[in-house]
Amino acid sequence: DGDAYKYYCDGEWRKSSSGKTVAIVNPTTRKTQYKVQACTQEEVNKVMELAKSAQKTWAKTPLWKRAELLHKAAAILKEHKAPIAECLIKEIAKPAKDSVTEVVRSGDLISYTAEEGVRILGEGKFLVSDSFPGNERTKYCLTSKIPLGVVLAIPPFNYPVNLAVSKIGPALIAGNSLVLKPPTQGAVSCLHMVHCFHLAGFPKGLISCVTGKGSEIGDFLTMHPGVNCISFTGGDTGISISKKAGMIPLQMELGGKDACIVLEDADLDLVAANIIKGGFSYSGQRCTAIKVVLVMESVADALVEKVKARVAKLRVGPPEDDCDITPVVTESSANFIEGLVMDAKEKGATFCQQYKREGNLIWPLLLDNVRPDMRIAWEEPFGPILPVIRINTVEEGIHHCNASNFGLQGCVFTKDINKAVLISDAMETGTVQINSAPARGPDHFPFQGLKDSGIGSQGITNSIDMMTKVKTTVINLP
Ligand code: G3H
């Protein structure tokens, strides 16, 4: 298939020997937009073999040189923001401005990673033995951080570029090699991003990008004996990866059901603005989206009115026009969201707007008076549908939040900082935002989920640490 994008192996673009391709359907037109190679298991083996040998030389390349190449890649990526954003628009229907922001943010992330890397990897520790009982000062212990080997990076469709470079940057600065398996929707954006690393001049085989069907190469990649670390962002697949993976470090971020707890004294205009941003940006397709509002009954009517007024102003349509609400990523995703809406309807939720759908485009919908027996109270729609649960006590809100399988982020709105901190302590989530919607960024902040939301902690510094191991050398004095 001459039109299909090639995959990246040994510093060059190749066609798969399978002769097969995977189609990428544009969520807006619902027609095939691009095709990528359906790589084979043999091709994965080849990529792993090259990654292993390239890593050995890369680990010996001076840290400042590794950083220099990353800075170069960051600059090239930013120069190519327009064509990459165009791919994001066509593959994942991300609004035009947000698509550009994603690429620019990714360039900044790579540069920051290079800077952080030269500092934290340029330092080690020095310990002496006589601080531990029974020891004389006869042992000097030197520590440094060494790479793990081959890092497998699997980003999700919603930030295919940003959540790829958040894995690639830390892996490379720390001296690892990198195998990237992009999501199907977002694969072409990833291939363009990889081309920027190619143009920067990284050694052959150090970075590879294999595309294809999960059924053919998914398990094969994640269970491959050549992989020394997996960094995955996505959905439930992460749970099965963590069960099947070998004895290697895992970094997983698997979604959430971020709650927004609103107290009586909250600034309701601020809350409404954050519910719109947190609940509806990129049509709710963010792991950190607000996915349930838990509001005190006494201010619920006023808040719902304010949110309704803002929902009415959201622009619904194609990503090319930079609309706020754009088609969700696939038809099956739209069907899933619709299932949640229908369940809430049968069980008596109050519809603040009429439910409307055309193809993959779902109009924003606020569901009031949601009760715990409705699926939408617990499940993650990954769409522009937001449930409101009215609560009579703060404890009720905390209880709902903690009864979830997820524990990514949450937010609390109140003018009482003491209460906010106590609520934050009580919420079983990796992060709590006080008086703002949940968000992963800035990208150097620690980012982690409890329970089914993930394993480990991300953020630039934490990812570099996670992709290294401590090595010690002990000098024994006579
Ligand atoms: O979808 C998950 C992303 O990590 C969310 O990132 O909070 O920067 O939108 P964000």
Side-chain angles (χ1 to χ4, degrees):
D1 196 329
D3 298 340
Y5 278 87
K6 292 175 178 162
Y7 78 103
Y8 189 63
C9 170
D10 205 12
E12 60 183 39
W13 296 96
R14 291 185 180 174
K15 275 177 109 170
S16 169
S17 63
S18 71
K20 292 190 196 138
T21 58
V22 179
I24 298 168
V25 175
N26 181 325
T28 312
T29 62
R30 294 193 289 157
K31 297 205 170 86
T32 296
Q33 182 77 41
Y34 305 118
K35 286 178 197 159
V36 293
Q37 306 295 317
C39 291
T40 64
Q41 297 185 348
E42 290 70 49
E43 284 157 350
V44 168
N45 280 336
K46 181 72 194 163
V47 150
M48 290 295 170
E49 189 192 308
L50 292 166
K52 190 170 181 173
S53 73
Q55 191 267 330
K56 302 264 182 274
T57 320
W58 181 242
K60 294 198 181 82
T61 304
L63 184 52
W64 67 266
K65 276 196 186 169
R66 302 204 296 255
E68 208 172 68
L69 276 173
L70 280 168
H71 281 300
K72 212 167 154 191
I76 296 170
L77 186 68
K78 283 185 171 182
E79 277 166 30
H80 290 76
K81 64 179 185 228
I84 299 176
E86 188 61 23
C87 293
L88 291 168
I89 292 169
K90 302 291 182 212
E91 286 187 290
I92 62 164
K94 183 167 277 197
K97 277 191 194 139
D98 291 351
S99 292
V100 174
T101 306
E102 175 169 347
V103 184
V104 173
R105 171 185 182 181
S106 301
D108 291 338
L109 193 159
I110 299 169
S111 298
Y112 194 108
T113 306
E115 285 169 17
E116 183 72 348
V118 291
R119 282 173 191 41
I120 64 174
L121 298 167
E123 276 180 5
K125 272 189 185 172
F126 171 61
L127 293 84
V128 285
S129 49
D130 63 341
S131 55
F132 199 87
N135 283 272
E136 298 300 317
R137 201 181 177 89
T138 52
K139 290 174 188 288
Y140 290 173
C141 178
L142 306 170
T143 78
S144 63
K145 284 181 180 156
I146 55 166
L148 298 176
V150 180
V151 174
L152 173 63
I154 309 181
F157 82 84
N158 62 346
Y159 290 83
V161 175
N162 185 259
L163 284 171
V165 302
S166 74
K167 305 171 192 316
I168 298 172
L172 294 181
I173 193 68
N176 298 288
S177 57
L178 196 286
V179 174
L180 176 67
K181 164 65 180 75
T184 299
Q185 310 282 144
V188 176
S189 309
C190 274
L191 292 170
H192 277 78
M193 176 270 295
V194 167
H195 193 57
C196 298
F197 283 83
H198 172 81
L199 294 174
F202 282 87
K204 282 182 176 187
L206 185 72
I207 305 167
S208 312
C209 184
V210 285
T211 52
K213 294 201 175 79
S215 54
E216 174 72 14
I217 57 167
D219 279 355
F220 192 74
L221 270 164
T222 55
M223 295 166 78
H224 201 285
V227 172
N228 305 111
C229 168
I230 302 176
S231 179
F232 173 92
T233 307
D236 292 349
T237 319
I239 297 180
S240 62
I241 292 176
S242 69
K243 287 180 182 149
K244 291 180 200 164
M247 202 180 73
I248 53 171
L250 302 177
Q251 186 180 50
M252 299 263 159
E253 196 260 286
L254 316 177
K257 185 72 182 171
D258 292 7
C260 171
I261 300 183
V262 186
L263 304 199
E264 281 138 329
D265 69 341
D267 172 343
L268 295 185
D269 288 307
L270 178 74
V271 182
N274 274 279
I275 287 177
I276 294 296
K277 184 174 90 171
F280 295 102
S281 49
Y282 189 35
S283 307
Q285 297 174 110
R286 295 167 53 239
C287 54
T288 47
I290 293 180
K291 295 194 179 113
V292 59
V293 176
L294 301 160
V295 57
M296 291 294 279
E297 179 68 60
S298 59
V299 291
D301 284 342
L303 179 65
V304 167
E305 277 315 309
K306 284 181 190 292
V307 177
K308 261 171 81 171
R310 287 172 188 259
V311 166
K313 291 193 188 132
L314 290 172
R315 290 174 56 242
V316 182
E320 286 83 355
D321 295 350
D322 201 40
C323 286
D324 303 303
I325 303 295
T326 53
V328 296
V329 68
T330 56
E331 189 174 342
S332 68
S333 174
N335 292 343
F336 174 77
I337 297 162
E338 184 163 296
L340 293 177
V341 172
M342 293 310 143
D343 174 78
K345 188 172 190 168
E346 274 162 34
K347 293 174 183 159
T350 306
F351 279 53
C352 298
Q353 298 79 22
Q354 239 182 3
Y355 174 65
K356 190 174 168 193
R357 171 182 172 187
E358 274 171 21
N360 295 355
L361 185 61
I362 295 178
W363 269 249
L365 177 62
L366 191 70
L367 297 170
D368 195 3
N369 296 304
V370 164
R371 290 189 321 262
D373 64 322
M374 299 176 192
R375 287 175 57 201
I376 191 71
W378 305 105
E379 293 182 43
E380 189 183 19
F382 240 66
I385 310 297
L386 185 60
V388 177
I389 298 181
R390 294 169 174 238
I391 53 173
N392 291 303
T393 62
V394 174
E395 288 69 27
E396 240 181 86
I398 294 169
H399 180 265
H400 185 92
C401 167
N402 292 350
S404 170
N405 292 337
F406 292 115
L408 190 59
Q409 293 205 0
C411 57
V412 53
F413 286 86
T414 172
K415 293 191 185 100
D416 185 337
I417 188 67
N418 297 332
K419 267 193 197 162
V421 171
L422 288 174
I423 293 168
S424 169
D425 284 349
M427 286 168 81
E428 293 166 2
T429 62
T431 301
V432 174
Q433 304 266 353
I434 297 172
N435 292 325
S436 186
R440 172 165 49 101
D443 286 334
H444 65 307
F445 280 13
F447 180 54
Q448 54 280 317
L450 306 184
K451 300 190 267 189
D452 285 354
S453 287
I455 303 175
S457 180
Q458 302 174 60
I460 291 171
T461 315
N462 286 346
S463 292
I464 295 173
D465 280 338
M466 184 265 173
M467 291 174 184
T468 57
K469 195 159 178 116
V470 174
K471 163 86 188 243
T472 58
T473 300
V474 182
I475 302 169
N476 289 275
L477 303 175

